[in-house]
Amino acid sequence: MAAQSSPSRRRFLLGGLGLGVAGVGALVLGWGVLPPRQRLNGSAPLPLQDGAVALNGWLAIGRDGMVILAMPRSEMGQGVHTALPMLVAEELDVPLSSVKLIQAPMDKIFGNVAMLKDSLPFHPDDQGRLKALAQWTVAKAARELGVIVTGGSSSVKDGWAPMREAGASARAMLVGAAAAQWQVPAAQCRTQDGAVIHPDGRRASYASLAQRAASIAPGTPVLKLPRDFKLIGQPAPRRDTPSKVNGSARFGIDARPPGMLYAALHLPPRLGDTLAAFDAAPILTMPGVKKVLDLTPHLAQRSASCVAVVADTWWRARQAAAALPMQWKAGAQAGLSSAGVYAEFARRLDTEAGHAYHASGEVEGKGVQGLRSVKAEYRAPFLAHAAMEPVNCTAQVKDGKVMLWVSTQASGIAVDVAAKVAGVDAKDVTIEVLLLGGGFGRRLEVDMVAQAVAIALQCDGAPVQLVWTREQDTQHDMYRPAALARFSARLDEHGRIASWDNKSVSGSITHQFLQRNFGLPGAGPDKTTAEGEFDMPYEIANQRIAHVIADSAVPIGYWRSVGHSHNAFFKESFIDELAHAAGQDSIAFRRAMLSKHPRHLAVLDAAVAKAGSAPPGHAHGVALHQSFGSIVAQVAQVSVENGEIRVQRVVCAIDCGIAVNPNIIAQQMESAVLFGLSAALGGEITFKDGKVEQGNFHDYPVLRMGQAPEVETIIIASAEHPEGVGEPGTPPIAPAVANAVFILTGKRLRSLPLRLA
């Protein structure tokens, strides 16, 4: 595989990006003023077989006429292995069924530009020159970084231009080949169903033209206009469904290279504990056990201190690892508790101003003094990812080469960490990215890759599959951060919001992620901490939204919808509090603050109209939130039965720009609602004496089928650039439910998970 940019260069560029907007000026100097790196042709040929002919760095034409597309994004149930091929098939004028996927090589053209560009902490309404310069510069830096990663609801957004350009470029080359062969002007030819056609009836298949087309310059790709789309916008069925139904789909845990051994871990019982001693002798006599390995020296900051047992079956490895006599040295977090975390949060809010992500007017000015004041405090807990497929990785280290079989969202980072642990160059690492049985951000981390390679390094060339238990997955996660938020608002004599002051506190995911994966110290603001608070659309003249970063002793990571997942609950719940304090209908209250935001207003109105009136004994709660570029409004129909909150129906309206595949969008809204509802009603990770108190689905529950509401999705027609879909449906559900509960009970639930007791 072609190598990405070097790890040292990536660390340098990421360090500059880590400075936020302040770092943009430094990045502009030198290379920053040059044109951005192209994304059409790679640095090495595509890995093709059977005489297939590459027409650019993204696609090739097979001898059988199949279009072979290099796929750089991981499929974890979000449907990108259907949506992204649609972009190429549309521009190339081929049926979607004729597009075959191969894994993209490690090449910069496949790096995720949109995800890094979206990390800048600008307000969506900001149209200034600084924002434009920052976005251009970070996009250029992302091209140089070339980090292949799936996350941030960015796959379609990022692929929209380069994948369509790849298809349009190949189409132009094929038309040029046919025109040259027939000695006619290219303008006389058209394409349809994998062939070039001339008005006189001549027809040539792409397969017959590919070899000649490869030598023709495509010129500047001419993309189709939306009015000419035949595939984009149509509800195409998921391409991965048949294999998942018949069992032939291969997930990370399904890897079975010849001669494979199995490994299980013994992880520390508490955060920060380090290995003092262990006795391998009695374990090595157990049936099937091959090795007992201390992985600590190989892992550095990439994983907790741990010991692995290697055996001929996973169950034998697991039983032996559980029986391993261990001694642990207590770390600095031995006394950590959830109560202590929130107490420290409160202290930080009492004493620190935080970084202001957005401010306008004066929240303490004379114009708002003396008006009615409303205050509230909200909090959210740590959350585990709890993906259905347990954490796993299969690795082989042999003859100075590393082979990985893994379900990962971050193949580029996985290759780098494997190379570091094995002591080889990144070009000597080969990776096969298999399907993910749920990602939700957990598989952006590569701790399991480091562990698997450290084990394989000591197994004499045999491939080894490492699988965590569910309890280990729950108790050694990189958790969604806990957070505490305080709001203070003033209402004028007409019941309108005159001022809005919001300050929150949590750990910084980005600081920890950069340290864990790139060895960079965390510094500066982190958009993910305040997203969903500072970027709200409501038109309030005087506002200040700030955040205090509290260094987290708990390992934290990206969780589906990241900061929006709890900040939407805070913000949309407080909006409802203010509407109630003003004696106004909560929907009318929101509408009055959206006069300059017609897209938000249209989404809200669509959801409310579809929901209709709540039946007797039920209430409708409403929430409106924008995240990952998409605007979502949800109306939750809720009842309270024997003290239990029940959600029967959710109407979800979304404006995500051009809807590439409405079928997948509806599926993702359903998925996101259920994921968010699981967290809203039962999700909570708590700590006592440095240890996670939850262990499995009995005490960290996910929504059961009998609890799942009907979800109705409305997709607002739009001609705007496609935006995120995988995550935006999660943030609004918790506040929508909480707001309905208030209508039913008069109780304002300000903490997650939502509990009436």
Side-chain angles (χ1 to χ4, degrees):
M1 289 183 175
Q4 291 179 283
S5 56
S6 70
S8 60
R9 179 168 175 79
R10 280 202 295 280
R11 281 195 296 272
F12 167 75
L13 288 171
L14 280 166
L17 293 176
L19 297 175
V21 179
V24 170
L27 285 170
V28 169
L29 297 177
W31 66 269
V33 299
L34 299 175
R37 182 185 294 270
Q38 58 85 31
R39 297 182 71 188
L40 185 59
N41 294 298
S43 59
L46 287 173
L48 302 172
Q49 298 176 344
D50 301 326
V53 179
L55 298 185
N56 52 57
W58 292 83
L59 61 86
I61 305 297
R63 295 172 66 179
D64 56 358
M66 292 291 288
V67 176
I68 302 165
L69 173 63
M71 176 54 62
R73 304 292 172 252
S74 301
E75 177 61 78
M76 49 188 166
Q78 81 280 38
V80 293
H81 284 190
T82 300
L84 292 179
M86 288 177 70
L87 305 181
V88 171
E90 179 67 75
E91 293 292 346
L92 201 47
D93 281 327
V94 297
L96 182 58
S97 60
S98 69
V99 181
K100 174 184 176 182
L101 303 183
I102 61 170
Q103 184 178 312
M106 294 289 109
D107 198 292
K108 288 182 181 179
I109 66 170
F110 303 117
N112 193 325
V113 173
M115 187 173 174
L116 282 182
K117 181 180 173 183
D118 287 350
S119 69
L120 289 168
F122 287 101
H123 195 284
D125 293 344
D126 185 353
Q127 301 299 322
R129 293 180 61 185
L130 176 60
K131 179 179 179 179
L133 173 63
Q135 289 183 331
W136 184 91
T137 305
V138 169
K140 186 180 187 307
R143 286 179 170 88
E144 295 299 316
L145 288 164
V147 178
I148 300 176
V149 63
T150 306
S153 296
S154 61
S155 293
V156 171
K157 181 189 301 188
D158 184 72
W160 179 251
M163 283 196 160
R164 291 179 64 209
E165 288 170 0
S169 175
R171 171 166 41 88
M173 296 166 74
L174 291 161
V175 168
Q181 179 175 307
W182 297 333
Q183 295 185 338
V184 298
Q188 291 182 359
C189 303
R190 63 182 180 89
T191 53
Q192 181 180 331
D193 294 335
V196 181
I197 302 170
H198 190 268
D200 65 8
R202 282 179 287 183
R203 180 187 184 97
S205 69
Y206 287 173
S208 69
L209 296 169
Q211 198 67 51
R212 186 168 191 166
S215 62
I216 292 178
T220 302
V222 179
L223 303 179
K224 286 185 179 181
L225 297 174
R227 65 170 179 264
D228 297 323
F229 289 161
K230 296 181 177 65
L231 278 175
I232 292 175
Q234 299 304 309
R238 288 273 294 270
R239 291 157 53 92
D240 53 341
T241 298
S243 65
K244 289 178 177 177
V245 171
N246 66 30
S248 63
R250 293 180 68 232
F251 294 83
I253 205 168
D254 295 322
R256 291 293 184 273
M260 187 179 80
L261 298 173
Y262 297 83
L265 297 179
H266 195 126
L267 288 163
R270 296 177 302 193
L271 286 180
D273 282 7
T274 54
L275 182 63
F278 66 95
D279 184 5
I283 303 305
L284 289 169
T285 64
M286 294 178 70
V289 172
K290 307 292 185 183
K291 292 177 181 287
V292 180
L293 306 170
D294 179 5
L295 304 186
T296 307
H298 301 277
L299 297 177
Q301 81 277 5
R302 301 182 187 97
S303 164
S305 178
C306 58
V307 174
V309 175
V310 181
D312 58 355
T313 71
W314 183 80
W315 183 246
R316 285 176 166 177
R318 174 69 198 114
Q319 293 294 94
L324 185 64
M326 303 286 290
Q327 295 179 32
W328 297 95
K329 180 181 178 181
Q333 292 83 41
L336 180 76
S337 69
S338 293
V341 169
Y342 288 117
E344 174 62 11
F345 282 176
R347 186 191 69 79
R348 299 289 291 269
L349 286 180
D350 288 340
T351 59
E352 299 182 31
H355 174 77
Y357 283 83
H358 182 69
S360 61
E362 296 183 15
V363 296
E364 298 293 340
K366 293 182 180 180
V368 297
Q369 290 178 357
L371 299 180
R372 182 181 178 188
S373 178
V374 181
K375 296 183 179 182
E377 181 175 284
Y378 289 83
R379 78 177 194 179
F382 294 103
L383 291 176
H385 293 83
M388 288 293 102
E389 181 185 12
V391 168
N392 68 87
C393 178
T394 305
Q396 182 177 30
V397 182
K398 185 178 181 180
D399 301 328
K401 307 286 186 182
V402 179
M403 179 68 200
L404 299 174
W405 296 263
V406 62
S407 47
T408 179
Q409 294 176 244
S411 56
I413 300 174
V415 165
D416 281 351
V417 74
K420 290 186 180 76
V421 173
V424 302
D425 195 279
K427 66 180 175 57
D428 293 319
V429 179
T430 302
I431 184 170
E432 182 178 350
V433 179
L434 299 164
L435 294 173
L436 284 63
F440 314 128
R442 178 61 179 96
R443 286 175 167 87
L444 285 169
E445 303 290 345
V446 293
D447 48 334
M448 74 293 288
V449 175
Q451 293 162 353
V453 173
I455 297 167
L457 193 61
Q458 304 172 71
C459 285
D460 309 312
V464 184
Q465 183 175 94
L466 169 67
V467 181
W468 289 25
T469 67
R470 176 61 61 187
E471 287 76 14
Q472 289 171 338
D473 199 357
T474 303
Q475 296 177 341
H476 295 273
D477 202 347
M478 278 67 167
Y479 303 96
R480 197 283 303 274
L484 187 68
R486 289 176 181 166
F487 292 83
S488 177
R490 288 183 170 89
L491 298 173
D492 66 18
E493 62 273 19
H494 303 291
R496 295 175 300 212
I497 302 176
S499 71
W500 173 284
D501 194 359
N502 168 210
K503 184 168 61 171
S504 56
V505 58
S506 70
S508 167
I509 299 171
T510 302
H511 289 184
Q512 281 204 13
F513 188 85
L514 290 175
Q515 175 62 41
R516 274 196 301 268
N517 295 291
F518 298 97
L520 292 169
D526 175 3
K527 175 192 173 182
T528 69
T529 61
E531 61 187 4
E533 291 179 322
F534 83 91
D535 45 6
M536 65 177 179
Y538 298 121
E539 297 148 12
I540 303 168
N542 303 298
Q543 54 178 290
R544 181 182 186 272
I545 297 96
H547 184 84
V548 177
I549 291 177
D551 292 337
S552 177
V554 176
I556 53 178
Y558 299 103
W559 188 92
R560 190 175 188 176
S561 75
V562 203
H564 293 282
S565 66
H566 48 84
N567 290 333
F569 169 68
F570 301 159
K571 179 259 296 179
E572 284 298 291
S573 295
F574 190 59
I575 284 287
D576 250 51
E577 288 208 49
L578 294 175
H580 180 73
Q584 297 183 28
D585 173 76
S586 64
I587 298 167
F589 191 72
R590 287 175 170 84
R591 294 188 87 260
M593 296 186 290
L594 295 171
S595 62
K596 299 177 182 177
H597 293 80
R599 293 178 68 187
H600 295 76
L601 194 57
V603 171
L604 177 62
D605 287 347
V608 170
K610 179 68 173 178
S613 300
H618 298 70
H620 280 171
V622 177
L624 172 70
H625 193 74
Q626 179 174 354
S627 62
F628 305 94
S630 292
I631 306 160
V632 175
Q634 289 176 1
V635 179
Q637 180 180 311
V638 178
S639 65
V640 174
E641 303 170 15
N642 299 318
E644 181 182 355
I645 299 169
R646 299 298 301 268
V647 183
Q648 288 81 16
R649 178 187 180 215
V650 177
V651 175
C652 177
I654 179 171
D655 181 342
C656 57
I658 292 174
V660 173
N661 187 331
N663 183 49
I664 290 177
I665 293 170
Q667 291 175 0
Q668 283 304 290
M669 291 306 102
E670 294 163 7
S671 165
V673 165
L674 299 185
F675 188 85
L677 198 53
S678 288
L681 297 181
E684 184 178 29
I685 291 292
T686 57
F687 291 86
K688 183 178 181 181
D689 298 327
K691 183 178 180 180
V692 175
E693 295 186 285
Q694 293 72 30
N696 209 316
F697 289 127
H698 69 285
D699 53 9
Y700 189 81
V702 297
L703 212 64
R704 273 35 177 192
M705 290 183 69
Q707 298 171 296
E710 176 188 6
V711 180
E712 301 173 54
T713 300
I714 305 164
I715 301 171
I716 305 298
S718 175
E720 299 293 329
H721 190 286
E723 297 290 350
V725 168
E727 295 167 276
T730 291
I733 188 61
V737 173
N739 293 337
V741 170
F742 176 75
I743 296 171
L744 289 168
T745 67
K747 294 181 179 180
R748 187 64 70 179
L749 304 181
R750 299 189 180 96
S751 294
L752 292 172
L754 302 172
R755 294 183 178 129
L756 285 170

